[in-house]
Amino acid sequence: MRAKATQVKPTDRIVASKDNFPDDFFSRDPSDLAAYGKDWTKVFPPAPSLIAFPRTTDEVSRLLALCSEHGAPVVPSGGRTGLAGGAVAASGEIVLSLSRMRRIDPVDETGATVRVQAGAITQAVHNHCEPFGLTWPIDFASKGSSHVGGNIATNAGGVKVIRYGLTRQWVLGLQVVLADGRVLELGGALEKNNTGVDLRQLFIGSEGILGVITEATLKLARIPQQLDVFLFGVENLEGVLRLFREARKGPCAISAFEFFTDKCLARLLRHRTLRPPFDTSTPFYVLLEVEPGAANAIEPWLTSLFERALIIDGTLAQHAEQARSLWSLREGISESLSATGLPHKNDIALPIASLEGFCAEFGQVFESRYPGWEICLFGHIGDGNLHVNVMKPDALSNEEFWAQTKAADRDMFALVQKFGGSISAEHGVGLLKKAHLGYSRSPDEIALMRALKRIFDPQNILNPGKVLDVLEEER
Ligand SMILES: Cc1cc2nc3c(=O)[nH]c(=O)nc-3n(C[C@H](O)[C@H](O)[C@H](O)COP(=O)(O)OP(=O)(O)OC[C@H]3O[C@@H](n4cnc5c(N)ncnc54)[C@H](O)[C@@H]3O)c2cc1C
């Protein structure tokens, strides 16, 4: 009888080379495997085989070269606040956590830039730049945990997109490690560089499938001296859109135009001890933040909004503390929905001009698919971005709930496609939206993305199965 050859798993081969790395480089601690194998979606059970914690680009490069050699799949992992399952390791992958790569260099005041390692926390970058009157204007509720690398890999949006645009606009240079360990320096601190195809842009928003971002040179904006924050009560979604049109024509430059419904507010108030903004609740709320315009112009503008019944109620923050309280009503929503129930989340975008038509029709989809269910709507409506959260009814099992939302998603995505929108505005595709990519991207585009993936990662070791499958037949 012949002895059975024992197969050595790729991960074991990687661990066998641990002498080439610091003692604390790898972890198989069950609590690390559980924590680093998942992101905020919490719907994919974590099952990584190993967690690696590099401190330098060189360590990332040597690890990826080894993984390539042994065909070991790797999941790049940032702050794990992603909402599309992009950082999930559910199939025995090695998680490459950037959490120890947090260096933030001194601010270059003249160039208004700062160089950081990818694991720098978004909020820490804000705090670092604030004394210079500068900021990296990527701002959202998870900024206390998300990493700059994760923000770039998802081309994150947030509450200031209407004023500053997406992350893509605030990245000057990138350092990226390719799947085979080669290190690319793309762009540095150059503002202008028209020397052919801008490879840097390929990595921004590619969700870790083309390379691992290890450092970035960030472009900084001046912090505005003063911002006025209003909260308005509005009758319906049409009214929210009318108010947006008025705000666009109004006396001040808009830096945020966010909305949420009374249902979102009710869940927020159940989760956190906050005061309701008005004595009487209104069906919809709009948070408007503006850079102050011409003196004496705001007062008459506000009066005219009331007179024309565009708003039912309204308040203007009188000082920074009040402004923060109004913002916490908006920023606490996502967390509150998950803390008080089971939401099925969708993050969709429409061209601003199509929002009204879309909203008129999606009410019908909800009525037929979710009769009497609780739908919590909020989002960055000034950018055409809606966060649609369907809450699980108590009477339904989780399995029934997921089956029904899956079917309804198809109707909603078809409507998004009809109005020229996107099935993922800012959260990315990851695992969650992969099957639906075709609603927003043509077959030719998907084929080109697949071809790019093969060029950058011929062995398909980087975040395999995320965004798209490399082989068409895997779909
Ligand atoms: C309460 C809450 C509010 C949110 N609000 C917003 C919002 O307003 N706007 C918005 O855009 N998003 C929002 N998000 C989603 C999330 O915070 C962003 O997508 C964020 O940019 C993810 O960063 P991260 O570091 O947590 O990335 P992770 O979740 O760790 O990873 C996200 C993706 O990027 C990849 N990745 C991570 N780091 C790297 C790297 N160094 N190199 C290559 N690939 C990498 C991962 O593999 C994964 O595919 C919110 C999330 C929460 C929980």
Side-chain angles (χ1 to χ4, degrees):
M1 212 167 89
R2 267 199 288 162
K4 224 169 143 191
T6 46
Q7 257 207 329
V8 183
K9 288 190 201 143
T11 311
D12 294 329
R13 291 184 200 275
I14 309 286
V15 174
S17 60
K18 68 179 185 315
D19 291 349
N20 299 325
F21 297 102
D23 287 348
D24 60 353
F25 190 81
F26 291 120
S27 170
R28 274 176 159 164
D29 185 297
S31 64
D32 282 342
L33 294 176
Y36 287 88
K38 62 173 190 242
D39 67 3
W40 247 75
T41 47
K42 296 175 189 151
V43 289
F44 306 100
S49 56
L50 185 69
I51 319 295
F53 294 105
R55 289 184 172 85
T56 65
T57 300
D58 179 57
E59 287 175 359
V60 174
S61 162
R62 285 189 286 116
L63 176 70
L64 288 186
L66 260 178
C67 293
S68 258
E69 189 187 325
H70 298 297
V74 178
V75 176
S77 164
R80 289 166 288 120
T81 66
L83 296 170
V88 166
S91 313
E93 302 94 329
I94 297 175
V95 173
L96 192 169
S97 167
L98 280 297
S99 57
R100 287 187 188 156
M101 295 182 62
R102 291 189 175 197
R103 195 194 75 240
I104 305 178
D105 287 349
V107 170
D108 170 359
E109 283 187 81
T110 315
T113 65
V114 67
R115 175 96 173 174
V116 303
Q117 280 187 308
I121 302 278
T122 317
Q123 175 80 68
V125 176
H126 293 177
N127 296 345
H128 182 79
C129 300
E130 196 183 338
F132 303 93
L134 296 168
T135 191
W136 192 49
I138 311 304
D139 194 354
F140 40 74
S142 54
K143 64 188 172 199
S145 305
S146 73
H147 292 184
V148 167
N151 300 154
I152 296 173
T154 55
N155 186 26
V159 294
K160 296 292 168 74
V161 172
I162 193 166
R163 167 74 177 81
Y164 296 102
L166 292 149
T167 298
R168 190 180 295 287
Q169 269 133 288
W170 297 92
V171 178
L172 286 182
L174 278 188
Q175 184 187 69
V176 178
V177 182
L178 298 180
D180 60 9
R182 274 178 297 163
V183 180
L184 294 181
E185 284 288 348
L186 304 169
L190 285 174
E191 181 78 53
K192 290 188 163 186
N193 181 12
N194 273 348
T195 50
V197 175
D198 189 349
L199 294 175
R200 179 186 50 150
Q201 294 296 346
L202 286 180
F203 293 97
I204 303 175
S206 68
E207 299 182 52
I209 66 167
L210 300 181
V212 176
I213 297 159
T214 43
E215 295 199 10
T217 304
L218 309 176
K219 185 171 160 169
L220 304 175
R222 283 185 73 81
I223 300 175
Q225 296 239 304
Q226 192 202 322
L227 291 170
D228 285 334
V229 180
F230 300 88
L231 190 78
F232 296 122
V234 182
E235 193 64 67
N236 49 33
L237 196 50
E238 254 172 43
V240 171
L241 297 173
R242 274 210 315 275
L243 182 58
F244 179 57
R245 272 200 300 276
E246 289 299 322
R248 276 274 209 221
K249 291 187 286 180
C252 309
I254 303 174
S255 67
F257 191 96
E258 301 281 311
F259 92 110
F260 52 93
T261 62
D262 52 351
K263 293 192 171 68
C264 296
L265 182 64
R267 290 221 173 233
L268 176 79
L269 299 179
R270 264 164 64 189
H271 177 54
R272 288 199 191 167
T273 38
L274 294 171
R275 279 193 25 206
F278 305 130
D279 293 339
T280 314
S281 144
T282 62
F284 283 75
Y285 296 86
V286 167
L287 187 147
L288 172 67
E289 186 185 79
V290 296
E291 293 175 16
N296 307 326
I298 288 252
E299 212 47 61
W301 184 67
L302 285 177
T303 310
S304 91
L305 294 180
F306 273 111
E307 281 171 359
R308 288 179 293 149
L310 282 160
I311 52 180
I312 314 170
D313 213 335
T315 180
L316 164 63
Q318 298 301 318
H319 44 73
E321 186 51 40
Q322 260 179 25
R324 266 195 296 279
S325 305
L326 293 183
W327 264 114
S328 59
L329 295 175
R330 164 62 187 86
E331 296 216 299
I333 291 171
S334 188
E335 182 195 308
S336 305
L337 299 187
S338 301
T340 57
L342 179 60
H344 169 62
K345 291 169 175 287
N346 261 306
D347 158 50
I348 55 173
L350 279 306
I352 305 277
S354 306
L355 265 174
E356 226 159 318
F358 173 82
C359 290
E361 286 192 35
F362 93 161
Q364 293 159 17
V365 169
F366 286 170
E367 270 160 37
S368 66
R369 287 291 189 175
Y370 301 127
W373 292 29
E374 182 184 351
I375 314 281
C376 292
L377 284 181
F378 66 97
H380 321 292
I381 198 147
D383 312 311
N385 182 183
L386 301 176
H387 294 319
V388 181
N389 290 261
V390 178
M391 304 304 296
K392 185 181 90 62
D394 291 339
L396 277 192
S397 70
N398 285 7
E399 290 67 33
E400 287 167 325
F401 177 62
W402 296 129
Q404 292 207 31
T405 53
K406 208 169 164 188
D409 275 354
R410 284 195 285 270
D411 289 355
M412 189 169 73
F413 294 152
L415 202 59
V416 168
Q417 186 177 36
K418 174 176 157 189
F419 282 92
S422 170
I423 57 149
S424 180
E426 55 178 15
H427 295 163
V429 176
L431 287 173
L432 213 56
K433 293 280 177 78
K434 184 170 75 165
H436 309 297
L437 195 57
Y439 285 100
S440 288
R441 298 302 198 102
S442 70
D444 282 344
E445 282 181 285
I446 295 174
L448 282 168
M449 284 194 227
R450 219 174 250 135
L452 275 175
K453 169 74 173 162
R454 289 203 195 101
I455 291 173
F456 282 94
D457 180 16
Q459 293 194 72
N460 193 23
I461 63 155
L462 278 181
N463 232 356
K466 308 291 170 56
V467 184
L468 42 69
D469 290 315
V470 176
L471 301 173
E472 206 167 347
E473 54 273 24
E474 281 172 9
R475 284 189 302 156

